Amino acid sequence: MKKFIAVVLSVLLLTALLAGCSGSSSGTSSSSGTSGSTNTGTSNSSKPIELTMMYNGTATDPTLGLVESIVDDFNANNTVNAKLTLQAYENEQYKTKLTTLMAANSVPDIFFTWELDYLRPFVEAGKVYEIGKLLNADQAWKDSFQSGVFDPVTYNGKIYAVPHAKSICVMFYNKKIFKDNNLTVPTTYEEFLKTCQTLKDKGVTPIALSAPDAWIPAQLVQQVADGIGGMKIYNGLFDGSVKWNDPAYIEAGKEVQDMVNKGYFPDGFLGMKSANATQLFKDGKTAMYFMGCWDISTVTDKATSSIVDDVGAFALPAKDPQYNNILVGSIDQSLAISANSKNPEAAAAFIKLFGSQKYQEEFLYKTGRLPTTKIDIDKTKVSPVTADVLDISSKVVGLTPWMDRAFGAGEGVEFNNKCQAIVGGKDPASEFNALQKFAETNASK
């Protein structure tokens, strides 16, 4: 199953990513619209159905404001006699909270989730409602989505979540800093390293990065590895043809560690909170920032960013040019329903509204989130940096989902931890050898 999902993500999801960024559509489902059309169930009681929802977001994230507006719309206009209460938590707190509630069988009706092996344990434990039953009963709703987007949330042929965005990792950059230093967007890995050194020599911190959240340095190591070994080193982890201490991963660890040693990241980044690193870029104090494109809304937030009109994006060039445009990326913004929900049909009505044409467009035009549904994209309505990301997306030839999503709390989280140790100075070969030993021990249990 893991191997199958890996192949699907590199082919079907890639096809969906290209289709979703082409600016054209094969048709918009008539089921898309306001909550007045989300009639997947009704209640005869005059007392509203009480629903709760957990979401991964903070008050400083503009996306959360849009989610709150969808909740308000649902509460004011739904036809299922329901009232939804939203609870939001920052990323690491959310993960801890969700795991705790899963163990206690106290998960809210609707919850945000990642895909693949992050969601798999909850599904296998019977904690997640099979929303595919409702999708299959409403073919117009199901057909409104792009091909392939459900595969990463499908287990044993059944769909357990609905994805509402796609994300790829990009290198955000400050156009003004580049112009002031006579720099252009690098098209090769060597040019990228030269750009970093030029900035460093001129007293400009090249890249904003924080290390305490291990997945952040890990996604950079993974991206560099993609550019060294291509899709085969990622897919090979699933069928056993590639080991975690593959030379490509060790080389990628050395490359990123070399960036650390050359001072390409902010002083104190090993202990710096992720929000603080992001703010350095938003304040114009670093030239670049490597992150999932979900951060478009953050780096262009007029209330907190001084570089709104100067943000662009490019794909990190591959060290081996034959692997250009193989990027860390997958689906995102997935919503699932708790198996303990007493009103899954009412919960599904909200999820349907969340993915309606109206809100898929708002997520794209207001926050830069790439849609999972078949909508026509009006490129005159997107920000310049979103236009850059759409262009990058149109050229993608392969996607490797984040390791902690693909391999879950075992090897996936351990990969993150090893990458964190590497940027902290540990030997890459020793760390990835230890990861391979961990995987072998884990497999024998």
Side-chain angles (χ1 to χ4, degrees), residues 191-242:
E191 288 178 0
F192 167 71
L193 294 179
K194 185 177 179 181
T195 295
C196 290
Q197 191 59 50
T198 298
L199 290 163
K200 179 65 178 176
D201 291 343
K202 294 188 175 184
V204 179
T205 301
I207 308 169
L209 185 77
S210 69
D213 290 343
W215 67 271
I216 295 178
Q219 69 181 1
L220 179 57
V221 174
Q222 183 178 341
Q223 182 61 71
V224 175
D226 286 350
I228 294 172
M231 289 299 300
K232 63 179 179 290
I233 64 165
Y234 180 85
N235 289 336
L237 292 173
F238 291 88
D239 62 18
S241 62
V242 170

Side-chain angles (χ1 to χ4, degrees), residues 40-367:
T40 59
T42 58
S43 171
N44 293 323
S45 172
S46 60
K47 182 179 180 181
I49 296 169
E50 297 290 338
L51 297 174
T52 55
M53 173 182 170
M54 273 181 63
Y55 185 78
N56 176 31
T58 64
T60 58
D61 179 2
T63 302
L64 181 59
L66 179 50
V67 174
E68 290 171 338
S69 72
I70 301 174
V71 172
D72 290 341
D73 182 359
F74 178 77
N75 286 339
N77 299 307
N78 76 80
T79 61
V80 294
N81 192 29
K83 179 181 179 182
L84 179 65
T85 301
L86 176 66
Q87 305 162 356
Y89 304 90
E90 65 85 24
N91 192 66
E92 295 305 315
Q93 184 184 17
Y94 183 89
K95 294 175 182 177
T96 300
K97 182 81 172 178
L98 183 61
T99 300
T100 300
L101 292 176
M102 283 286 182
N105 289 319
S106 300
V107 180
D109 297 275
I110 304 168
F111 61 95
F112 173 99
T113 184
W114 292 274
E115 71 283 14
L116 297 169
D117 264 27
Y118 180 87
L119 183 60
R120 182 187 301 277
F122 302 140
V123 170
E124 292 180 346
K127 308 285 188 179
V128 188
Y129 177 80
E130 184 199 337
I131 197 170
K133 294 185 294 186
L134 300 181
L135 280 160
N136 291 332
D138 187 345
Q139 200 61 41
W141 180 26
K142 188 175 183 181
D143 288 346
S144 69
F145 289 86
Q146 298 166 19
S147 174
V149 298
F150 288 113
D151 291 285
V153 288
T154 297
Y155 307 88
N156 295 320
K158 299 177 180 179
I159 299 171
Y160 285 89
V162 179
H164 294 108
K166 295 172 294 189
S167 286
I168 53 175
C169 275
V170 299
M171 188 67 78
F172 293 105
Y173 74 102
N174 186 315
K175 295 178 181 179
K176 184 177 186 302
I177 290 179
F178 269 51
K179 182 178 180 180
D180 289 347
N181 290 280
N182 297 314
L183 296 170
T184 57
V185 171
T187 58
T188 68
Y189 188 73
E190 291 73 18
E191 288 178 0
F192 167 71
L193 294 179
K194 185 177 179 181
T195 295
C196 290
Q197 191 59 50
T198 298
L199 290 163
K200 179 65 178 176
D201 291 343
K202 294 188 175 184
V204 179
T205 301
I207 308 169
L209 185 77
S210 69
D213 290 343
W215 67 271
I216 295 178
Q219 69 181 1
L220 179 57
V221 174
Q222 183 178 341
Q223 182 61 71
V224 175
D226 286 350
I228 294 172
M231 289 299 300
K232 63 179 179 290
I233 64 165
Y234 180 85
N235 289 336
L237 292 173
F238 291 88
D239 62 18
S241 62
V242 170
K243 298 185 183 298
W244 288 98
N245 57 353
D246 186 90
Y249 288 115
I250 295 174
E251 183 179 349
K254 290 179 178 178
E255 287 289 332
V256 175
Q257 192 173 78
D258 192 47
M259 295 178 199
V260 175
N261 294 336
K262 289 180 177 178
Y264 293 167
F265 305 120
D267 292 339
F269 83 95
L270 292 174
M272 183 179 294
K273 293 182 179 180
S274 60
N276 293 342
T278 308
Q279 194 62 49
L280 287 177
F281 178 70
K282 293 163 66 175
D283 289 341
K285 295 180 179 179
T286 71
M288 292 175 281
Y289 170 57
F290 186 71
M291 187 52 66
C293 64
W294 58 71
D295 253 12
I296 288 175
S297 60
T298 300
V299 298
T300 59
D301 180 13
K302 293 181 179 180
T304 60
S305 178
S306 63
I307 61 168
V308 172
D309 297 325
D310 294 317
V311 182
F314 62 89
L316 184 67
K319 187 175 183 182
D320 185 337
Q322 69 175 308
Y323 300 130
N324 272 330
N325 301 311
I326 295 175
L327 306 182
V328 176
S330 187
I331 60 167
D332 197 22
Q333 194 108 319
S334 296
L335 297 181
I337 299 174
S338 168
N340 289 333
S341 175
K342 295 180 181 179
N343 299 283
E345 292 83 4
F350 174 79
I351 293 175
K352 188 173 179 181
L353 173 64
F354 200 94
S356 65
Q357 179 177 342
K358 173 183 178 181
Y359 289 118
Q360 283 276 279
E361 289 179 350
E362 289 200 20
F363 273 117
L364 173 63
Y365 299 141
K366 292 183 178 180
T367 72

